[in-house]
Amino acid sequence: MGKMQLEYSVRGAELSDLHKIMVLYKTVAARSGGIARHADEVTEAYVQNFIERCHETGIILTIEDPSNPEALIAEVHTCSPGIRVFSHLFSDLTIAVHPDYQDKGIGSLLFQTLLQEIELKHPEILRIELITKESNQKAIKLYQKFGFRPEGRLEKRISGKTGELEADIPMAWIRQEREPPF
């Protein structure tokens, strides 16, 4: 695992990454179904919106392809819902890892970096929320590895590629209270 961090580096995403993120999301949507959108729903407006929202009230991180800096192999973002009663949480967490780079620790590296950023730079954030489809067991295991816990089931919420309906699983990470250092 130590070699992984030398090989892949995480950086903040910029608006100039918009088209690289679009390519990544379209590839993930078309090949692995790892995000809820279909490839044709990954529009410039959609990507620009979440980049701008995350710059204002959240975090957005990417990993470039070490062999081609013009391409991104992964991205994660989360942000505030923008309502004062939810000012202690980030929601809409989305992660996309290029299908050719899955199962190589990339998602773990992104999550580890995301949680470190929140711990260090966002002490006001006590909770992070995401929703994943029940059949995406690989993602559920990754989220649980980083302390996310299922908080229920939203029955027949998501329509799969063949039209069958399945449950969405809301999950949350809650900041652990720390003992005072004395």
Side-chain angles (χ1 to χ4, degrees):
M1 184 79 176
K3 187 176 186 296
M4 177 74 55
Q5 281 146 359
L6 297 175
E7 200 172 333
Y8 300 106
S9 62
V10 179
R11 67 166 174 82
E14 299 301 330
L15 200 51
S16 59
D17 292 316
L18 189 148
H19 290 285
K20 294 178 192 177
I21 294 172
M22 278 182 65
V23 169
L24 172 65
Y25 270 56
K26 284 179 178 286
T27 303
V28 169
R31 288 193 28 208
S32 69
I35 58 172
R37 290 174 186 266
H38 291 263
D40 62 349
E41 295 173 307
V42 178
T43 63
E44 192 167 315
Y46 162 68
V47 176
Q48 182 172 338
N49 178 277
F50 74 67
I51 292 172
E52 289 174 349
R53 280 182 56 215
C54 291
H55 277 185
E56 288 169 29
T57 68
I59 298 174
I60 181 167
L61 303 171
T62 60
I63 298 178
E64 290 176 346
D65 183 340
S67 61
N68 175 13
E70 291 306 304
L72 297 177
I73 58 171
E75 183 270 353
V76 66
H77 66 268
T78 185
C79 62
S80 166
I83 301 168
R84 221 173 296 137
V85 296
F86 297 132
S87 62
H88 64 288
L89 66 89
F90 281 160
S91 65
D92 297 329
L93 188 145
T94 303
I95 184 169
V97 177
H98 191 289
D100 295 346
Y101 289 86
Q102 291 177 8
D103 301 318
K104 296 182 188 315
I106 304 287
S108 290
L109 178 59
L110 267 183
F111 258 93
Q112 182 182 333
T113 307
L114 177 74
L115 292 173
Q116 283 172 348
E117 288 258 322
I118 290 168
E119 292 272 359
L120 295 171
K121 298 179 183 170
H122 293 276
E124 77 284 6
I125 298 302
L126 306 178
R127 175 183 172 89
I128 310 167
E129 302 173 337
L130 61 83
I131 299 178
T132 188
K133 62 185 175 184
E134 181 177 34
S135 63
N136 196 348
Q137 288 298 312
K138 193 163 77 171
I140 291 171
K141 282 182 178 58
L142 174 70
Y143 305 147
Q144 287 178 320
K145 175 179 153 184
F146 285 95
F148 284 77
R149 297 288 166 249
E151 293 193 327
R153 295 172 59 83
L154 303 171
E155 295 294 344
K156 299 191 184 300
R157 184 164 188 265
I158 192 161
S159 177
K161 292 219 186 287
T162 61
E164 80 287 354
L165 295 174
E166 68 173 294
D168 251 350
I169 308 297
M171 299 182 76
W173 171 92
I174 297 175
R175 186 186 298 262
Q176 297 303 307
E177 291 296 321
R178 295 222 164 56
E179 292 296 316
F182 47 80

